[in-house]
Amino acid sequence: MNRILVTGGAGFLGSHLCKELLNQKKDILCIDNFFSGSKNNIRDYISHPYFEFVRHDIIHPFFAEIDGIYHLACPASPIHYQYNAIKTIKTNVTGTINMLGLAKRTKSKILLASSSEIYGDPAVHPQTEGYWGNVNPIGIRSCYDEGKRVAETLTMDYHRQNKVDIKICRIFNTYGPHMALDDGRVVSNFIVQALKGKPITVFGDGTQTRSFCYVSDMVRGLISMMETKRFTGPVNLGNPEEHSILELAEKVIKITKSKSQITFKPLPKDDPLRRCPDITLAKEKLHWEPKISLDQGLERTVEYFKKQILSSV
Ligand code: NAD
Ligand code: UDP
C-alpha cells in the first residue's frame, strides 16, 4: 500500500501524518481546501518528490488511482465548524460519501478520522467504544457531532454493503505544533494568550475535563490502525489522563512563566462536562498507548507558538 491519499492534509493533524508517511517512504497525495489548514503546515515537504498537493473541496467528487485513504478533512475547532454549520455537515456527509466511493472504486483501505464528540456530553465515564453517546441532535455542536456520527454510519454501511476495507478511529482532544494561532481550541488559545501576556479565557468554572493527546502519539495510533489487519474499529485513540480546564490553564501559565491572569467567560452551549477515553481496545488490538506526558507535549507546543508569534509580528 504505497499511494496514499490524505484528505485534510494541510491541517494540524493531517500535516503531521503526511510528514510521518513520507518518512515511511509512502507516496502522498494530499488534498485540502485550506478552510482551516494552511500552506505553512506543508511548506517543509511541498517540493518532496513523493508529495503531491491538490487544492480540492471534498464535497465534490475526486478521482485518483490510490491504495489507501486517510480521511481527515473536516474543521475540528468549534469556532471553525460552527462558522458554516451546513458546510460542516456537507463535508461530513457528501465529502465522506465521495471518499468512500473512491475507496470502493479503487479497492483502497479507508480510515475515517472520527471524534470523541460522537459521545456528546457522555453519561458513561470513561468512554468505551460500546457506549452510544448522548448528543443533542439540534444543538450548535450537532453539525460536527452528528456529522461525525453519520460519517461513521456511512463508513460501516459501505463496509457491510460494498465490502470496503474500513477503519474508524475516534480521536480525543489532540494538540501540538501546527495548530493555527487563531484556532480557538483550548490548548492553542491558552498558550497564545499566555505568551502574549493576555488574560487566559477559562469558559465556565473550568471544572469541565478533557484528556489531551500529543500529536506524535496520535499519528502513531492512526498509522497502527491503518496497518492492522481484520479490525475495523471503531477504536478510541486519546490520552487517558484527564485534566480539568482550570488545571490546564495553570499548567500553561507555569510552563510559559507568564504573568497572565485567568479570566472566566460563559460556558458555550452543550460544552461536554467530562471527557476521557477508555483505551483498552487500542492497547489490545494495536498495542498502542500514548508516550508523551502533558508537560512534555505542552513544552514542545509552547516552543512552536513562540516562533509563530515572533514571525507574525
Ligand atoms: P484542522 O481543522 O486543523 O484540519 C482539518 C483540515 O481539513 C484543514 O486543513 C481544512 O482546511 C480541511 N478541510 C475542511 N473541510 C474541507 C473540505 N470540505 N474539503 C477539503 N478539505 C477540507 O483539524 P485537525 O485537528 O487536524 O483534525 C483533523 C481531523 O481529525 C478532523 O476530521 C477532525 O474532526 C478529527 N479530529 C481531530 C481532533 C483533534 O483534537 N485534533 C479530535 C477529534 C477528531
Ligand atoms: N475552552 C476554554 N477556553 C478557551 C477555549 C476552550 O475554557 O479559550 C474550554 C471549552 O469550553 C471546553 C474545553 O476548553 O470545555 C475544550 O475546548 P476545545 O474547543 O479545545 O475542544 P472541545 O470542546 O471540542 O473538546
Side-chain angles (χ1 to χ4, degrees):
M1 196 176 76
N2 273 323
R3 296 167 306 174
I4 309 289
L5 174 67
V6 179
T7 77
F12 156 56
L13 258 176
S15 57
H16 288 276
L17 179 64
C18 287
K19 188 172 182 189
E20 185 52 33
L21 291 170
L22 283 172
N23 285 341
Q24 298 187 5
K25 309 265 181 281
K26 305 285 187 200
D27 193 341
I28 305 301
L29 174 53
C30 167
I31 62 177
D32 204 295
N33 68 351
F34 289 130
F35 174 68
S36 52
S38 74
K39 284 186 183 166
N40 207 28
N41 283 346
I42 52 173
R43 192 181 50 183
D44 289 351
Y45 36 86
I46 195 76
S47 51
H48 190 291
Y50 290 112
F51 183 79
E52 202 178 343
F53 178 81
V54 178
R55 187 192 288 243
H56 178 80
D57 190 316
I58 59 153
I59 70 166
H60 304 294
F62 184 74
F63 296 93
E65 302 315 312
I66 35 135
D67 306 304
I69 306 173
Y70 285 88
H71 175 33
L72 275 69
C74 175
S77 154
I79 54 165
H80 288 154
Y81 68 66
Q82 287 163 18
Y83 173 77
N84 184 345
I86 296 166
K87 178 64 193 266
T88 301
I89 299 171
K90 284 186 186 169
T91 294
N92 274 314
V93 178
T94 313
T96 301
I97 291 174
N98 286 335
M99 291 308 121
L100 287 163
L102 177 61
K104 181 182 158 193
R105 182 181 65 76
T106 56
K107 297 190 174 42
S108 298
K109 203 190 283 189
I110 180 167
L111 180 149
L112 171 71
S114 183
S115 170
S116 55
E117 286 281 320
I118 67 102
Y119 299 120
D121 191 7
V124 166
H125 195 79
Q127 292 80 58
T128 54
E129 291 83 353
Y131 176 51
W132 290 354
N134 177 33
V135 174
N136 175 357
I138 55 167
I140 55 168
R141 294 174 83 101
S142 356
C143 59
Y144 184 79
D145 304 5
E146 297 286 23
K148 289 286 181 187
R149 288 170 71 96
V150 178
E152 285 199 12
T153 309
L154 284 164
T155 305
M156 281 311 294
D157 282 335
Y158 268 77
H159 175 62
R160 280 188 287 251
Q161 207 170 313
N162 298 124
K163 308 283 173 276
V164 173
D165 193 355
I166 61 134
K167 305 276 176 187
I168 300 176
C169 294
R170 293 182 178 157
I171 301 172
F172 284 65
N173 296 64
T174 302
Y175 69 98
H178 292 191
M179 292 180 97
L181 282 172
D182 59 351
D183 182 274
R185 284 179 275 186
V186 69
V187 174
S188 43
N189 267 13
F190 285 2
I191 294 179
V192 172
Q193 289 162 345
L195 290 176
K196 290 187 170 174
K198 294 194 171 152
I200 310 279
T201 55
V202 168
F203 299 162
D205 60 6
T207 54
Q208 73 272 30
T209 66
R210 294 293 187 272
S211 307
F212 298 101
C213 185
Y214 188 66
V215 63
S216 59
D217 282 330
M218 184 55 62
V219 165
R220 196 167 39 82
L222 293 172
I223 294 175
S224 304
M225 180 59 172
M226 187 62 129
E227 289 176 355
T228 303
K229 297 206 166 56
R230 289 177 293 280
F231 175 54
T232 60
V235 67
N236 288 340
L237 293 179
N239 193 317
E241 220 184 81
E242 187 179 359
H243 295 273
S244 75
I245 296 304
L246 200 53
E247 259 172 60
L248 178 74
E250 283 156 0
K251 250 184 203 303
V252 169
I253 290 173
K254 194 168 156 211
I255 290 173
T256 53
K257 301 186 183 68
S258 173
K259 296 204 168 34
S260 292
Q261 300 293 310
I262 291 174
T263 172
F264 292 89
K265 301 268 183 194
L267 189 67
K269 205 161 173 333
D270 293 341
D271 199 292
L273 289 182
R274 303 177 76 184
R275 191 183 287 148
C276 179
D278 180 321
I279 59 163
T280 310
L281 193 63
K283 281 184 183 165
E284 183 197 317
K285 298 282 187 184
L286 312 177
H287 310 290
W288 175 88
E289 63 183 312
K291 291 180 181 160
I292 309 290
S293 71
L294 184 55
D295 281 340
Q296 287 172 320
L298 285 176
E299 273 162 23
R300 294 180 195 183
T301 312
V302 165
E303 285 316 304
Y304 171 80
F305 278 112
K306 272 185 191 164
K307 288 191 196 125
Q308 292 302 302
I309 290 169
L310 275 179
S311 65
S312 67
V313 285

